[in-house]
Structures are given as structure tokens and as C-alpha cells.
Amino acid sequence: VLVQNTDEILASSTRFVWLISVFLVMAFLCVIGVVYLSTVNLLHLGFRDALTGLYNRNYLEHEILRLATARPQPIGFVSIDVDGLKLVNDTCGHSAGDVLLMTAGKIIKECFNHNDHVIRLGGDELAVVVQMAEAGALQKACQQVRDKIAAHNLENGAVPVSVSIGWAVGYADDAP
């Protein structure tokens, strides 16, 4: 018969409880990590266009609500239409049209600041939302888009990129 005194039993029980506690804390932290990464992944899927990697229309709606409730600030909105996408899709195939959209999105993104939001609304329609916008800076960025597209077309003339651009600066509460 093995007999332990109460001090040995208490020490053994304390170690066991401590080990179980460490295990439970580690398991809890792992669950939190998985939930966090899943949430980030779902937000990415819900707010990004699968083809171009740009933000999508869902993100634009979310951003408009956020800006409408934030401190009043000038907001720039740039509307961009990729010209001739249907013709490219019909004559060269949808993969060529996809390349055209991705190229246009990449060029546009390069012409704006990292905190400006380049968005694919759908089809051949793109947009840029600029916070704290100034008309001169917005006009300059739009001209830079035109210039970079012209330079791109000189180097890669197989399927030229062409866009139509319009822009405005206002406040979120200006809308009716």
C-alpha cells in the first residue's frame, strides 16, 4: 500500500490544476486567433473584387456610410469607365478583357495615394474615393492616370487601354 502525505497530494493536485489551466488558456488563445483570421478573410472576400483585387461595391457602400457619419471633410469621387471592354471581350476573348481591367486598375491605383480607395463597381466601371480631397490634387491624379495609360499603350499596344474619367469634390452631407 502506497501512502502519501497531504502535502504531496496537495502539491501534485496544484501542478495538475496549473497544467490544465495553461492548456485551457492556450486553447482559448488559439480559438481567438482562428476567429480573428477567419473574420479578416471574410472581410477581404466581402470587400474585394475577385478579379482585380480592388475594393468592390460592398466596400463603397460601407465607406460612404462611414464617411457620412464621420467629421465633415471634403471627399473626392472619381468615376472611371474602361472604354471598349465589350469589344475586347467579343473580339479577343474574356481573358483579354480581364487583363484590360486588371491593367487599368493597377495603373489607376499607382496614380492615387495608398489611403485612397480604388473600387471596381462592376463590369467596366471603376471609382476612387479620396478623403480630405483638394480639387487641384484630384485633377492632377486624373491627368496622371491619362499619362500613365498613354505610356502603357506605347509600350504594350496589343490591347490598348482607354478610360473616360470624371471627378468631383464635395461633402457627404451635400447629397440630397
Side-chain angles (χ1 to χ4, degrees), residues 67-147:
L67 291 171
T69 58
R71 190 182 91 229
Q73 61 177 313
I75 301 166
F77 186 82
V78 181
S79 178
I80 303 169
D81 186 82
V82 179
D83 300 328
L85 179 64
K86 181 174 177 5
L87 179 64
V88 170
N89 282 340
D90 291 346
T91 58
C92 301
H94 286 275
S95 60
D98 291 349
V99 170
L100 180 68
L101 282 171
M102 289 185 289
T103 301
K106 180 178 173 277
I107 291 170
I108 292 164
K109 197 167 180 154
E110 290 171 358
C111 296
F112 287 88
N113 294 325
H114 69 280
N115 56 343
D116 298 334
H117 306 286
V118 181
I119 301 158
R120 181 175 178 211
L121 298 173
D124 61 355
E125 298 173 7
L126 304 171
V128 184
V129 175
V130 179
Q131 298 178 49
M132 301 301 291
E134 296 176 3
L138 206 56
Q139 187 173 15
K140 184 178 176 182
C142 290
Q143 186 58 50
Q144 189 177 7
V145 169
R146 291 183 191 95
D147 295 343

